């Protein structure tokens, strides 16, 4: 049953059926028209003959010659469409008959069939099987009438029948030819139209995760399939891009994991090369510990990102006072900022207020507290890392419509405009060599972004080179206390 479900088969069947119906209808109606026209012309001929004879009988009843000529001679001179006339008087005696009429036609039947149906033409079969068309009528003899004769006329319609027979033959021939031709043409057309679909399928079959290069060449496709092919190609573009991103990501992970491991290994190998003092061993252990911490931070970040992307991740939402949260972050980074010679301030939107007590009053939102702490901490640690001594890092929160907004602004180095769109990418660092020393993994902002996505919020960054950077987090207040 595969064939019946094939599109090419269905199209061909529909096309052939429609074509055949059309041919059938056309030829059949032509045949009908031809047939009625032939009958009509025969009937006209019969009527004409009756009229001539009636005229002669009425106007010149004594003119036997004219009658004889009309009945006996003229008809005999015709090769085709021979006609026969019989004239009968009131007493039922035949007056004149076309020679040979009795031989061609059964006169008794002719009389019987034309009786009582004046001037009505009827089909009749002759003695030798030829088709005839016959009619009968009465005619007044002389004026004023001296009597009433009966005229019977018969026309041989073999020629017409032959014409119709040939036509029917043609008709069947054409029908046969079209019933062969239509399916052939239809099938070819359908196959041709469907071929692009098969090509698309073939391309799709060739696609694997390592071979995303394949594209469909849609030139010359019907427009519907061209758009399908275009959509398909666009999908492949997207897939290829995300596969590339993933493989770049894994390469980055491998690289970032290798560096600390290599460091630990190198130091251990050097330390083991000869005997060391306790002090030297301590140094090696301390440096190894540092690298181990780096490694475990990196792995922690990676695990965090992987979990955050899982659809199963659930937030532990609590009512959180945002200024209290910012205060916690500020307190945590207080010492670090002081060491770096940076002043870390927490300001309300309506003016500086360390504890957020005045200004807008309490700003409460349903948040996952530890995740938000992590997001803001990442921003503050970035700000401190990229701000030279003497600079300022400012934390602020405020209401904005039905959203809460948290700003972390610094007066640091800023980010070049061309790098700005990429800072949320994993492992992206504006200056990798410089940032390595600051301990960044390049995952900080990616984590901030995924935390905001989990909260249904947004993160936005603006920066001016040499002037400073500001990151804004926005979260809708799901439930205000
Ligand atoms: N406040 C900032 N000022 C200047 N540059 C920044 C700031 N925050 C982030 N960046 C740039 O964006 C990069 C990505 O940041 P992040 O994802 O936190 O990675 P990391 O801090 O581990 O390098 C940083 O390497 C840095 O180049
Ligand atoms: Mg960072």
């Amino acid at each position: 049953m595969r064939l019946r479900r094939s599109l090419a088969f269905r199209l061909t069947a529909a096309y052939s059926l429609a074509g055949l119906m059309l041919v059938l209808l056309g030829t059949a109606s032509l045949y009908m028209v031809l047939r009625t026209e032939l009958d009509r012309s025969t009937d006209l001929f019969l009527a004409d003959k009756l009229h001539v004879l009636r005229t002669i009988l009425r106007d010149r009843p004594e003119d036997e010659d004219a009658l004889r000529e009309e009945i006996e001679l003229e008809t005999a001179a015709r090769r085709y469409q021979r006609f026969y006339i019989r004239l009968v008087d009131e007493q039922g005696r035949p007056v004149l008959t076309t020679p040979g009429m009795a031989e061609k036609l059964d006169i008794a039947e002719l009389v019987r069939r034309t009786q009582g149906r004046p001037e009505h033409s009827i089909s009749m079969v002759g003695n030798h099987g030829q088709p005839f068309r016959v009619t009968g009528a009465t005619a007044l003899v002389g004026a004023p009438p001296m009597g009433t004769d009966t005229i019977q006329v018969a026309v041989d319609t073999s020629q017409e029948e032959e014409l119709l027979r040939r036509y029917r033959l043609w008709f069947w021939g054409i029908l046969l030819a079209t019933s062969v031709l239509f399916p052939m043409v239809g099938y070819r057309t359908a196959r041709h139209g469907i071929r692009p679909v098969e090509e698309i399928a073939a391309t799709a079959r060739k696609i694997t995760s390592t071979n995303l290069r394949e594209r469909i060449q849609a030139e010359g496709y019907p427009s519907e399939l061209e758009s399908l092919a275009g959509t398909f190609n666009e999908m492949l573009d997207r897939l290829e891009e995300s596969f590339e991103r993933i493989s770049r990501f894994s390469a980055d992970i491998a690289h970032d994991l290798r560096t600390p491991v290599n460091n630990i290994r190198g130091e251990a190998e050097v330390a083991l090369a000869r005997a060391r003092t306790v002090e030297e061993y301590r140094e090696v252990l301390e440096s190894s510990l540092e690298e181990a911490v780096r490694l475990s931070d990196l792995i922690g970040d990676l695990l965090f990102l992987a979990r955050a992307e899982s659809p199963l991740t659930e937030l532990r939402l609590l009512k959180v006072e945002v200024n209290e949260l910012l205060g916690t972050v500020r307190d945590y980074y207080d010492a670090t900022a002081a060491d770096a010679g940076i002043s870390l301030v927490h300001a309300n939107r309506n003016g500086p207020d360390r504890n957020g007590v005045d200004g807008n009053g309490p700003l409460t939102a349903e948040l996952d507290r530890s995740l938000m702490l992590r997001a803001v901490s990442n921003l503050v640690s970035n700000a401190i890392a990229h701000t030279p001594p003497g600079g300022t890092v400012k934390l602020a929160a405020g209401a904005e419509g039905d959203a809460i907004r948290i700003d972390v602004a610094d007066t640091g180095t800023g980010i070049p405009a061309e790098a700005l769109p990429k800072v949320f990418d994993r492992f992206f660092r504006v200056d990798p060599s410089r940032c390595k020393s600051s301990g960044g993994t390049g995952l900080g902002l990616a984590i901030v972004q995924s935390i905001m996505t989990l909260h249904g919020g947004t993160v936005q960054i603006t920066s001016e080179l040499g002037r400073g950077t500001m990151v804004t987090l926005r979260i809708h207040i799901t439930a205000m206390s």
Side-chain angles (χ1 to χ4, degrees):
M1 288 296 97
R2 248 184 85 74
L3 181 70
R4 282 167 65 100
R5 284 195 290 138
S6 125
L7 189 58
F9 176 82
R10 288 182 192 179
L11 286 174
T12 308
Y15 172 78
S16 308
L17 212 69
L20 274 175
M21 293 286 281
L22 209 71
V23 170
L24 207 73
L25 224 73
T27 41
S29 57
L30 275 178
Y31 180 78
M32 301 299 276
V33 168
L34 185 63
R35 157 141 243 156
T36 45
E37 280 306 309
L38 285 174
D39 283 353
R40 217 164 66 92
S41 90
T42 305
D43 291 351
L44 279 177
F45 177 80
L46 287 172
D48 190 44
K49 283 295 152 204
L50 281 179
H51 179 72
V52 169
L53 287 170
R54 271 181 172 153
T55 312
I56 296 174
L57 283 173
R58 189 188 62 221
D59 296 347
R60 294 176 286 164
E62 310 307 329
D63 194 349
E64 285 263 330
D65 283 345
L67 265 179
R68 190 174 302 276
E69 187 179 333
E70 193 58 40
I71 294 172
E72 290 187 351
L73 298 179
E74 200 195 312
T75 165
R78 291 172 72 101
R79 257 184 88 191
Y80 301 113
Q81 213 179 29
R82 279 178 175 272
F83 64 95
Y84 302 88
I85 299 174
R86 197 162 167 268
L87 193 62
V88 184
D89 69 12
E90 252 168 328
Q91 282 72 44
R93 280 170 311 203
V95 182
L96 273 172
T97 309
T98 307
M101 186 171 182
E103 186 198 316
K104 301 271 182 186
L105 280 162
D106 183 345
I107 302 293
E109 195 193 344
L110 172 68
V111 171
R112 189 171 50 73
R113 294 194 59 179
T114 52
Q115 226 156 37
R117 301 169 83 180
E119 291 177 59
H120 190 90
S121 72
I122 302 154
S123 293
M124 198 179 136
V125 181
N127 288 338
H128 304 299
Q130 311 101 309
F132 279 94
R133 196 117 180 122
V134 298
T135 187
T138 51
L140 299 173
V141 181
M146 306 178 290
T148 313
D149 278 4
T150 303
I151 311 167
Q152 286 141 359
V153 190
V155 183
D156 185 339
T157 54
S158 318
Q159 288 298 318
E160 284 88 341
E161 282 305 325
E162 174 62 16
L163 182 70
L164 288 172
R165 195 186 63 78
R166 277 204 305 272
Y167 185 94
R168 281 195 299 271
L169 213 66
W170 261 106
F171 172 66
W172 289 118
I174 288 171
L175 217 62
L176 196 75
T178 46
S179 61
V180 172
L181 210 69
F182 273 130
M184 266 165 57
V185 172
Y187 188 71
R188 265 186 65 88
T189 315
R191 293 292 315 165
H192 186 77
I194 289 164
R195 204 178 43 228
V197 178
E198 282 162 5
E199 285 173 16
I200 292 174
T203 308
R205 244 174 268 126
K206 277 191 264 171
I207 301 280
T208 60
S209 61
T210 48
N211 178 23
L212 285 165
R213 289 273 143 68
E214 292 287 340
R215 292 293 182 275
I216 297 157
Q217 305 301 322
E219 282 113 48
Y221 277 17
S223 55
E224 298 88 343
L225 294 178
E226 199 179 298
S227 93
L228 173 66
T231 313
F232 192 79
N233 282 343
E234 279 162 24
M235 180 193 75
L236 287 178
D237 287 345
R238 285 197 300 274
L239 276 179
E240 192 180 10
E241 197 198 299
S242 61
F243 263 89
E244 237 164 49
R245 225 187 10 248
I246 288 169
S247 73
R248 216 173 30 237
F249 183 49
S250 354
D252 285 342
I253 293 175
H255 180 264
D256 274 56
L257 290 175
R258 198 175 59 178
T259 314
V261 171
N262 276 352
N263 289 349
I264 294 172
R265 179 183 166 178
E267 278 166 22
E269 277 171 356
V270 170
L272 289 173
R274 58 179 171 83
R276 305 277 179 187
T277 64
V278 171
E279 199 49 43
E280 281 171 326
Y281 282 129
R282 170 181 289 278
E283 256 173 43
V284 171
L285 281 178
E286 273 172 355
S287 137
S288 293
L289 184 65
E290 226 171 75
E291 296 291 356
V293 168
R294 242 180 88 77
L295 259 180
S296 96
D297 282 354
L298 176 62
I299 290 167
D301 282 356
L302 284 171
L303 274 177
F304 178 85
L305 276 173
R307 280 203 212 102
E309 265 170 20
S310 148
L312 297 174
T313 310
E314 272 187 24
L315 294 177
R316 283 186 302 153
L317 292 177
L318 295 169
K319 285 200 177 91
V320 175
E321 211 292 300
V322 178
N323 278 308
E324 177 269 325
L325 186 124
L326 295 190
T328 308
V329 177
R330 201 207 74 89
D331 291 345
Y332 182 76
Y333 279 97
D334 217 8
T336 321
D339 283 350
I342 297 164
S343 65
L344 179 61
V345 294
H346 173 206
N348 230 345
R349 287 211 63 74
N350 288 349
D353 184 321
R354 243 191 84 120
N355 303 309
V357 178
D358 72 16
N360 289 340
L363 276 174
T364 312
E366 294 227 322
L367 303 171
D368 186 314
R369 191 168 192 281
S370 64
L371 289 188
M372 279 311 284
L373 266 179
R374 182 163 191 163
V376 179
S377 298
N378 281 359
L379 296 181
V380 172
S381 90
N382 278 351
I384 292 174
H386 296 96
T387 303
T392 311
V393 174
K394 202 160 86 178
L395 293 171
E400 196 181 76
D402 58 350
I404 277 183
R405 165 186 174 141
I406 297 172
D407 291 325
V408 178
D410 63 56
T411 57
T413 54
I415 302 168
E418 68 273 12
L420 210 51
K422 286 186 263 178
V423 289
F424 293 107
D425 290 356
R426 293 166 184 192
F427 292 114
F428 177 81
R429 279 165 287 201
V430 174
D431 179 3
S433 56
R434 208 192 76 88
C435 292
K436 189 128 288 173
S437 60
S438 73
T441 56
L443 293 173
L445 287 178
I447 286 173
V448 172
Q449 190 171 44
S450 66
I451 289 172
M452 294 318 289
T453 308
L454 281 173
H455 280 88
T458 59
V459 52
Q460 196 187 3
I461 188 164
T462 53
S463 187
E464 205 177 318
L465 211 54
R467 279 293 194 73
T469 305
M470 177 158 99
V471 183
T472 304
L473 309 179
R474 282 190 184 83
I475 300 176
H476 281 273
I477 303 166
T478 44
M480 281 278 278
S481 60

